[in-house]
Amino acid sequence: VQLQASGGGLVQPGGSLRLSCTASGFTLDDYAIAWFRQAPGKEREPISCISMDHTTYYKGSVEGRFTISRDNTKNTVFLQMSSLEPEDTAVYYCATRDTFWSYTYCSTLMSRESLGAAYWGQGTQVTVSS
C-alpha cells in the first residue's frame, strides 16, 4: 500500500489549495482515507476522512472550510482547503488502515484519534503566510 500526497505550497491567509492523495499498488475503492496534519511543535492530528461509501468526516477546526472527496477512477482522494489561516500551516499527510477497517475507520478515527493509521503518504507542506 503506497500513498503519495501532493499539492502543498505557500498561500496567503484567505487563500485556497487543493491537496491530492494518489494510491499506487492497490485499488483505492476498498479503503477509507484520512488526512492528518502536523504543525510545528504539535502532535499529528486527523482532520478529515472519507469512507468507502463517500461519507465525509471533519474535525471542528476545519469543518466548513475544507472539503474531502474521492475519485476512484483516478485512484485519488482530494482535500480542497479554503479560507486558509496561519494556524493551518502544517505538514499534511494522507493515510489509511487495512481493509478490515474500511467501513469503520473514519467514524472510529474521528472519535479516537489515537487509532492513527497503518499506511502513510510522505507528507506535503502547507504554509499560510502573508
Side-chain angles (χ1 to χ4, degrees), residues 41-62:
K42 294 189 176 180
E43 297 282 325
R44 191 177 301 187
E45 60 173 354
I47 57 169
S48 187
C49 191
I50 187 164
S51 64
M52 284 179 59
D53 64 359
H54 296 228
T55 301
T56 58
Y57 300 79
Y58 299 95
K59 192 162 187 175
S61 57
V62 306

Side-chain angles (χ1 to χ4, degrees), residues 1-2 7 35 45 50-51 55 64 71 74 80 87-88 96 109:
V1 174
Q2 290 189 324
W35 283 97
E45 60 173 354
I50 187 164
S51 64
T55 301
D71 186 341
K74 297 180 180 179
Q80 178 67 46
E87 293 73 24
D88 296 316
T96 189
L109 176 66

Side-chain angles (χ1 to χ4, degrees), residues 62-75:
V62 306
E63 191 160 20
R65 300 187 298 123
F66 291 10
T67 302
I68 191 171
S69 61
R70 63 194 301 158
D71 186 341
N72 290 341
T73 65
K74 297 180 180 179
N75 229 25

Side-chain angles (χ1 to χ4, degrees), residues 10-130:
L10 173 64
V11 63
Q12 292 187 340
S16 300
L17 278 176
R18 187 176 80 159
L19 305 184
S20 299
C21 175
T22 302
S24 60
F26 70 102
T27 303
L28 202 63
D29 302 28
D30 299 329
Y31 291 80
I33 302 294
W35 283 97
F36 290 71
R37 69 183 180 187
Q38 186 167 20
K42 294 189 176 180
E43 297 282 325
R44 191 177 301 187
E45 60 173 354
I47 57 169
S48 187
C49 191
I50 187 164
S51 64
M52 284 179 59
D53 64 359
H54 296 228
T55 301
T56 58
Y57 300 79
Y58 299 95
K59 192 162 187 175
S61 57
V62 306
E63 191 160 20
R65 300 187 298 123
F66 291 10
T67 302
I68 191 171
S69 61
R70 63 194 301 158
D71 186 341
N72 290 341
T73 65
K74 297 180 180 179
N75 229 25
T76 301
V77 169
F78 302 98
L79 186 69
Q80 178 67 46
M81 305 186 296
S82 302
S83 301
L84 283 163
E85 304 166 352
E87 293 73 24
D88 296 316
T89 295
V91 179
Y92 285 71
Y93 303 86
C94 57
T96 189
R97 281 195 170 268
D98 60 44
T99 54
F100 172 81
W101 287 93
S102 292
Y103 291 98
T104 59
Y105 182 47
C106 289
S107 57
T108 305
L109 176 66
M110 300 311 283
S111 61
R112 182 160 61 97
E113 296 186 4
S114 59
L115 177 63
Y119 307 104
W120 297 89
Q122 85 287 5
T124 185
Q125 175 71 47
V126 172
T127 302
V128 184
S129 175
S130 55

